[in-house]
Amino acid sequence: MLEERQNSFLFGGNAPYVEEQYELYLADPASVTDEWRAYFDALRETPAIDGTDRDDEPHAPVVSNFVELAKRPRTATAAAPGDGGLGLARKQVAVQSLIAAYRMVGTRVANLDPLTWTPPRPLAELTPAYYGLTAADMSTRFSTSDTFLFDDDAALQDIVEGLKQTYTGTLGAEFTHLTDAAQRRWWQMQLESTRATASFSATEKRAILERLTAAEGLEKYLHTRYVGQKRFSLEGGESLIVLLDQLVRYGATKQLRSVIMGMAHRGRLNVLVNVAGKPAHALFDEFDGKGANDLPAGDVKYHKGFSSITQTDDGPVEVVLAFNPSHLEAVNPVVQGMARAKAETLPGGDSTQVLPVEIHGDAAISGQGVVMETLSLSYTRGHGTGGTVHIVVNNQIGFTTSDPRDTRSSFYTTDIAKMIEAPVLHVNGDDPEAVALAVRLALDYRTEFQRSVVIDLICFRKYGHQEQDTPAITQPLMYRAIAAHPGTRTIYAHKLIAQGVVTAEDVEGYVAARRDVFERAHEWQARVSEATAHDANADVEADSNDAAAAIANGSDSADATADTRAPASAEPLTLQQTDARDRGSLDYSAPSLSRVQFLAQRVSTIPEGYELHPLVAKMIASHRDMAAGKKPVDWGMAEHLAFASLLGLGVDVRLSGEDSARGTFNHRHAVLHNQKRTNRTDGVYLPLEHIDDMQGRLSVTNSILSEAAVLAFEYGYSIVHRNALVVWEAQFGDFANGAQVIIDQFVAAAAAKWGQHSALTMFLPHGQEGQGPEHASARLERYLQLSAQNNMRVVQPTTPAQMFHLLRKQALSFDRRPLIVMTPKSLLRHHEAVNTLDDLSRGDFEEVLVDSPVESSRASEIERVIVTSGKTYYELLERRRTSGANNTAIIRVEQLYPFPSQRLAEELAQYANLKSVVWCQEEPHNQGAWGFAEPRLRDVLPAGATLRYAGPAESASTAPGYHSVHAVIQAELLSSAFAE
């Protein structure tokens, strides 16, 4: 049966085509070709195979009858006498099957490998004989109405040749997996009407050659000047520079104004200099070890980023290469967040003017999970960016010791992109014109449909993983082919010489001019001190780009002075800020009581006739009582008021997480749903959107079920949009484990490594509630271990007012640092964790809260001070009441880093007869804050006082899974805290 299906003209997905033709025929017989009309006329006159009436016949029997007819012995002629045109119709569908096959799998035999070391295997599906077409049919003319190869019809031999040119050349395309017919049709038109062949002017070809020369020239210069130093060269993939240059310049014709790129270290130095516009002498400084003290830690040169403005014929384009550590694909969601923020800060929030570009490795794109997570963000409401251009620098090796059979389970390394139905363009890196064409097609598609597209740049890697590696040990066959390869620039130069576009002397002149650019930059770097070199960057770059600009403009003169790039800002990566409001004018003090009351009324007001779920209605009613002063303010209300107060000042608020709209614990409900709603888009109301007429932008998003990609996205957003409170919220604090790379490499270390500053806020629900290990700890100890050099703040507030002031301070402060908040769970509704509206209208966030059971005049009676953090305070407070331990004071450390040593010292000093200081925590001894706090507490310990620990023993897990065990541990730690 399978063999019969494979031999059927309908095999390969042509049944829908037959049905479509039948639909057209039923509506209007003249709307189909003569061959199809003859077939359907004959079919209606022929008894049905299943005996049904031909009048108003359903489609399935039509297709079934056609399959049966197709299985009958075929003749070599177009139509046999008396068959009513059925023979020709069968052959027409055979031709359609052949066309469909080329569209679906033609790329598998395309000329895509620059090394040709593994020639593609022939595919039977791409031969006419597979569909019953013979040599006698090659001169027969068939309809091409479903193609863009010819105007009407053509001989089969011409159709086959057109298909080969279109789908098996140096540019192959995968688009038949797209479900949208309009998009498939668009690709057919774009590819088939041009035979997927580029057409560039002589000037454009010379510019392409110049970019190849610049790419190759930099690598060769570094290879000879800095022998043995790591650079992760681009040699073998120089066409990437052509691709990115085209992306910027052709993108400008599409009104693109910002290109934000992320990539790993392979080829990064080349992209920095030849695309992002980093001064060559600045790169040489790094090779020479200069500027090592500019940042607290710094980073290796192939992790750094840069930004500049590229001048094009169609206007300036901001070009940014984001910083990235050696976690190859970690930067992808960061780039997406940066692009979203950049678009939202533009007038009208136009995402078409901002293009995120992700440059992947061939092994990394299919091997690292953050790729899938980031792809899943592509078209979501809160994280979409209007389409991304994904570029795979496909070295065909992955990493030195790998084998393609071990690097993935898919046929193509790009197959993961099909999960978002992204079309894929596979292109031979040795054909830079095809590379340039692929870029233009990708940008045209993105502009037309606001969808992502993938360019698979198939090239090779001349050296090993780094320049000291010896890849021939494990890849002898490939590296014999690489050794024999003359280089992409040489191949293309010979092509242009043969075409008469350039002469051999021109080619040598291009090489010499590029070498001279680097020599002059190196001489400048050698003779000018660091202090004066910084001031002269613009002059040096104008000088260094002379030759490149001249060649790109088709000029034979090396005296042209058109500088195409200039630094975007003094901060090397940070995008030009487009904040509409002056941060200096914001009010940093607490709002007045009347303002707080006004805000409370606004956030508790819903439209007339809006029917809420009973649980939500109860919460809103409670908020109205809080606004009227009838009830104390709880945690959820304080959050709302913090957000509302910031929005009213014109500050944007962005909150994202898996349950952020509702809140994991149903305490927030920032997004209200009308229970009478009739569809998915009707009946959603956000009270925070109705604070003031000129308020800031609000975004509250339930994100995809991802930690790494979503946190990285929000981090990227926060480094660009500085007039916003950007919050990522974990469902439970432990779940941030899945984003540990982002926390380690970006959130905690970016300022020290790269000078990149973020004010991202992380909400991490934390507290031992007897719910098991994954729902207990936010791994407080990890954040404290990462805390150094004033890089971030780690806090654990215990009152709604503290949370209110904390969020305002984070948003309004010029001190841009990440804020890590251990947010509560049980305290969200604790009867003592409340405040008044007046508490919100005065004061500020307090790093230490003191709760003494005696008047200050009786401070001499205090012999024990328990220092704690978080919800344990309320449990200790209750135990003190029941035990009558009036000689004990309890101090809450609300900010753990920077540690409030001075404030604690001042508080402890007032107790003249203090004998014991106890650190009490609910986390295990080897976790929580004890390891971090102990040496700092000893530094401020009064003379004569001892320090001890009260809490659970060491544990491999964050918490027990049995509630009964949890209850015992909690009781023991409270008893230990008050023990003599």
Side-chain angles (χ1 to χ4, degrees):
M1 179 62 71
L2 178 61
E3 182 179 357
E4 290 179 349
R5 283 190 62 230
Q6 290 177 333
N7 288 331
S8 166
F9 293 140
L10 293 174
F11 183 69
N14 284 289
Y17 175 75
V18 177
E19 290 191 86
E20 179 184 13
Q21 296 298 311
Y22 188 56
E23 279 276 9
L24 295 172
Y25 170 82
L26 290 176
D28 179 11
S31 64
V32 299
T33 63
D34 293 341
E35 293 83 357
W36 278 116
R37 187 165 59 254
Y39 163 66
F40 290 129
D41 286 343
L43 187 65
R44 292 175 64 82
E45 296 171 2
T46 304
I49 293 173
D50 59 2
T52 59
D53 188 354
R54 288 297 184 192
D55 292 332
D56 197 26
E57 183 172 28
H59 294 189
V62 172
V63 175
S64 175
N65 193 70
F66 194 90
V67 172
E68 292 300 321
L69 290 172
K71 291 178 183 176
R72 296 174 183 174
R74 302 174 185 127
T75 62
T77 59
D83 72 352
L86 292 179
L88 180 60
R90 284 197 296 265
K91 289 185 180 295
Q92 179 66 56
V93 174
V95 173
Q96 288 300 133
S97 297
L98 180 63
I99 293 170
Y102 268 95
R103 290 170 175 169
M104 285 190 289
V105 297
T107 189
R108 296 196 180 189
V109 298
N111 177 21
L112 299 177
D113 183 6
L115 300 176
T116 63
W117 69 297
T118 53
R121 297 179 180 178
L123 290 179
E125 299 105 297
L126 302 181
T127 61
Y130 184 80
Y131 304 96
L133 298 166
T134 67
D137 298 313
M138 298 306 289
S139 59
T140 303
R141 301 186 71 84
F142 293 93
S143 172
T144 57
S145 59
D146 191 41
T147 76
F148 296 90
L149 295 169
F150 303 95
D151 290 337
D152 187 16
D153 57 23
L156 179 57
Q157 59 189 5
D158 294 331
I159 295 174
V160 172
E161 183 60 28
L163 291 170
K164 287 180 178 179
Q165 292 172 358
T166 302
Y167 294 108
T168 67
T170 53
L171 174 62
E174 292 183 278
F175 59 88
T176 56
H177 58 281
L178 307 182
T179 57
D180 182 52
Q183 294 181 43
R184 294 197 306 272
R185 191 76 172 168
W186 186 92
W187 281 107
Q188 292 170 18
M189 178 181 69
Q190 297 295 326
L191 295 166
E192 294 171 2
S193 63
T194 63
R195 300 294 197 271
T197 302
S199 178
F200 292 103
S201 68
T203 298
E204 290 172 321
K205 291 179 180 180
R206 285 193 292 270
I208 290 173
L209 178 60
E210 187 280 324
R211 289 289 83 199
L212 288 175
T213 305
E216 182 186 86
L218 178 62
E219 298 296 351
K220 288 188 173 181
Y221 186 84
L222 295 176
H223 192 66
T224 56
R225 174 70 69 171
Y226 300 102
V227 178
Q229 289 204 41
K230 285 184 182 180
R231 70 180 194 277
F232 298 100
S233 84
L234 187 61
E235 288 171 88
E238 293 91 344
S239 286
L240 176 65
I241 303 304
V242 174
L243 191 160
L244 296 175
D245 186 70
Q246 281 285 315
L247 189 147
V248 172
R249 297 184 184 280
Y250 186 70
T253 70
K254 303 293 181 182
Q255 285 71 56
L256 203 62
R257 291 297 170 257
S258 187
V259 174
I260 305 174
M261 303 181 294
M263 69 181 299
H265 43 272
R266 174 74 51 205
R268 187 182 190 89
L269 301 184
N270 214 307
V271 173
L272 278 168
V273 172
N274 286 316
V275 180
K278 182 172 184 173
H281 69 81
L283 177 63
F284 300 156
D285 279 346
E286 292 170 359
F287 271 97
D288 290 332
K290 297 181 179 179
N293 299 320
D294 292 347
L295 292 168
D299 204 351
V300 292
K301 49 190 167 291
Y302 37 81
H303 289 172
K304 294 184 178 180
F306 200 78
S307 67
S308 68
I309 301 296
T310 295
Q311 301 297 336
T312 76
D313 292 341
D314 298 279
V317 178
E318 182 182 41
V319 180
V320 178
L321 179 61
F323 292 95
N324 191 40
S326 282
H327 297 272
L328 306 179
E329 303 286 337
V331 75
N332 297 351
V334 176
V335 164
Q336 297 296 323
M338 293 169 67
R340 174 83 176 217
K342 181 65 177 179
E344 288 187 356
T345 55
L346 291 174
D350 187 1
S351 63
T352 63
Q353 296 184 48
V354 182
L355 176 67
V357 179
E358 297 178 22
I359 305 173
H360 310 273
D362 51 324
I365 188 175
S366 54
Q368 299 197 353
V370 72
V371 176
M372 183 281 290
E373 292 187 26
T374 310
L375 288 171
S376 292
L377 294 174
S378 297
Y379 308 124
T380 57
R381 292 178 296 174
H383 297 88
T385 51
T388 299
V389 173
H390 296 268
I391 301 165
V392 180
V393 181
N394 191 341
N395 294 310
Q396 307 184 70
I397 189 175
F399 44 96
T400 300
T401 59
S402 69
D403 184 303
R405 293 170 296 182
D406 301 323
T407 57
R408 63 179 182 271
S409 297
S410 58
F411 186 86
Y412 289 115
T413 189
T414 55
D415 283 344
I416 188 173
K418 292 177 182 176
M419 65 177 278
I420 60 166
E421 295 190 12
V424 181
L425 298 171
H426 304 276
V427 60
N428 189 323
D430 268 0
D431 187 350
E433 292 182 23
V435 172
L437 175 61
V439 175
R440 297 188 175 195
L441 287 170
L443 288 174
D444 288 344
Y445 174 78
R446 195 255 185 180
T447 302
E448 179 73 17
F449 297 103
Q450 293 292 283
R451 305 280 294 184
S452 297
V453 63
V454 179
I455 301 174
D456 182 19
L457 178 64
I458 302 173
C459 49
F460 59 90
R461 197 182 69 197
K462 185 173 181 178
Y463 301 105
H465 175 64
Q466 36 84 9
E467 286 66 33
Q468 292 77 46
D469 194 12
T470 308
I473 294 174
T474 53
Q475 307 290 343
L477 181 62
M478 172 181 273
Y479 275 82
R480 281 201 299 272
I482 290 174
H485 193 281
T488 303
R489 183 200 62 82
T490 298
I491 292 173
Y492 189 60
H494 288 165
K495 176 181 177 180
L496 296 192
I497 291 172
Q499 293 177 353
V501 174
V502 296
T503 65
E505 291 75 17
D506 292 333
V507 172
E508 289 303 315
Y510 295 166
V511 173
R514 180 52 52 179
R515 183 170 56 247
D516 184 56
V517 166
F518 297 131
E519 287 290 355
R520 281 187 287 163
H522 197 278
E523 290 170 5
W524 173 272
Q525 175 244 3
R527 72 175 184 262
V528 181
S529 67
E530 288 184 11
T532 56
H534 177 75
D535 295 333
N537 274 353
D539 294 338
V540 173
E541 281 311 293
D543 188 46
S544 297
N545 279 309
D546 286 351
I551 295 170
N553 290 322
S555 170
D556 295 328
S557 170
D559 297 326
T561 59
D563 181 16
T564 59
R565 294 181 180 86
S569 65
E571 206 168 349
L573 167 81
T574 305
L575 299 178
Q576 288 182 304
Q577 300 306 309
T578 52
D579 296 346
R581 294 165 289 275
D582 177 10
R583 293 297 304 272
S585 66
L586 295 178
D587 183 1
Y588 291 88
S589 60
S592 66
L593 179 58
S594 60
R595 179 63 176 172
V596 173
Q597 291 170 334
F598 168 78
L599 296 173
Q601 291 171 356
R602 298 303 296 165
V603 300
S604 58
T605 300
I606 62 172
E608 191 72 27
Y610 207 87
E611 184 175 316
L612 298 175
H613 187 279
L615 293 178
V616 181
K618 182 179 179 181
M619 187 197 75
I620 294 295
S622 180
H623 283 184
R624 282 195 289 267
D625 288 342
M626 295 175 196
K630 298 178 181 179
K631 281 187 176 182
V633 175
D634 65 8
W635 207 278
M637 184 60 159
E639 268 189 11
H640 273 76
L641 292 174
F643 297 150
S645 70
L646 292 171
L647 290 166
L649 290 172
V651 177
D652 293 349
V653 173
R654 179 179 172 85
L655 175 62
S656 173
E658 288 154 17
D659 291 326
S660 288
R662 182 196 70 183
T664 300
F665 311 102
N666 282 284
H667 79 288
R668 181 174 296 126
H669 290 292
V671 179
L672 305 179
H673 298 269
N674 191 345
Q675 297 300 301
K676 292 182 178 179
R677 66 192 299 181
T678 58
N679 56 60
R680 295 182 65 182
T681 59
D682 179 43
V684 175
Y685 183 77
L686 284 75
L688 286 168
E689 288 184 339
H690 304 275
I691 303 302
D692 284 315
D693 292 338
M694 299 297 291
Q695 70 176 65
R697 179 191 291 111
L698 172 71
S699 174
V700 182
T701 302
N702 289 333
S703 69
I704 67 171
L705 196 65
S706 157
E707 285 77 40
V710 179
L711 174 61
F713 184 104
E714 304 305 335
Y715 172 84
Y717 189 99
S718 72
I719 63 176
V720 173
H721 193 352
R722 300 188 176 192
N723 191 39
L725 175 68
V726 183
V727 181
W728 176 74
E729 181 176 48
Q731 194 173 51
F732 286 90
D734 269 18
F735 295 176
N737 287 353
Q740 199 63 51
V741 166
I742 306 303
I743 296 165
D744 292 349
Q745 298 294 337
F746 292 91
V747 176
K753 294 190 299 183
W754 308 322
Q756 179 172 283
H757 299 281
S758 164
L760 175 70
T761 297
M762 294 173 60
F763 283 177
L764 305 176
H766 178 80
Q768 301 281 342
E769 316 284 359
Q771 298 182 37
E774 282 73 40
H775 297 166
S777 174
R779 293 289 189 178
L780 171 61
E781 63 278 359
R782 291 183 181 171
Y783 298 94
L784 294 176
Q785 185 182 41
L786 291 169
S787 296
Q789 299 173 312
N790 210 26
N791 63 330
M792 57 187 177
R793 286 196 297 162
V794 181
V795 301
Q796 189 163 203
T798 57
T799 71
Q802 283 282 81
M803 190 66 166
F804 174 85
H805 294 303
L806 176 66
L807 294 178
R808 285 175 50 83
K809 183 174 183 178
Q810 176 70 1
L812 301 178
S813 174
F814 286 105
D815 182 12
R816 291 178 56 76
R817 285 182 288 168
L819 172 64
I820 314 300
V821 187
M822 301 288 119
T823 57
K825 293 177 284 184
S826 61
L827 294 192
L828 297 175
R829 295 177 178 84
H830 196 285
H831 67 282
E832 290 192 89
V834 293
N835 290 103
T836 65
L837 291 177
D838 190 53
D839 292 332
L840 275 57
S841 67
R842 54 186 171 84
D844 197 350
F845 175 75
E846 297 291 339
E847 298 173 354
V848 173
L849 289 180
V850 178
D851 183 84
S852 176
V854 296
E855 299 294 334
S856 58
S857 60
R858 298 177 58 197
S860 60
E861 299 179 12
I862 300 299
E863 297 180 348
R864 179 196 300 117
V865 170
I866 300 175
V867 184
T868 191
S869 184
K871 77 173 184 66
T872 309
Y873 163 74
Y874 292 97
E875 295 164 333
L876 290 167
L877 186 64
E878 180 62 26
R879 173 58 67 95
R880 188 179 64 187
R881 288 175 184 149
T882 59
S883 66
N886 293 327
N887 66 337
T888 301
I890 305 174
I891 297 177
R892 283 170 277 179
V893 179
E894 301 279 287
Q895 177 172 292
L896 290 156
Y897 185 81
F899 195 75
S901 297
Q902 182 177 348
R903 180 71 181 87
L904 269 175
E906 292 171 353
E907 182 59 29
L908 294 175
Q910 69 173 307
Y911 305 119
N913 295 316
L914 184 63
K915 296 178 180 178
S916 174
V917 174
V918 181
W919 175 267
C920 182
Q921 67 178 39
E922 59 181 356
E923 302 88 357
H925 185 275
N926 58 319
Q927 300 170 29
W930 169 244
F932 176 83
E934 180 190 9
R936 292 162 175 82
L937 287 171
R938 293 196 184 281
D939 287 343
V940 300
L941 197 65
T946 62
L947 175 66
R948 67 180 178 88
Y949 166 83
E954 291 185 349
S955 173
S957 175
T958 56
Y962 302 105
H963 191 275
S964 58
V965 176
H966 160 75
V968 170
I969 292 174
Q970 291 295 102
E972 289 177 349
L973 76 88
L974 294 175
S975 296
S976 175
F978 287 94
E980 296 299 333

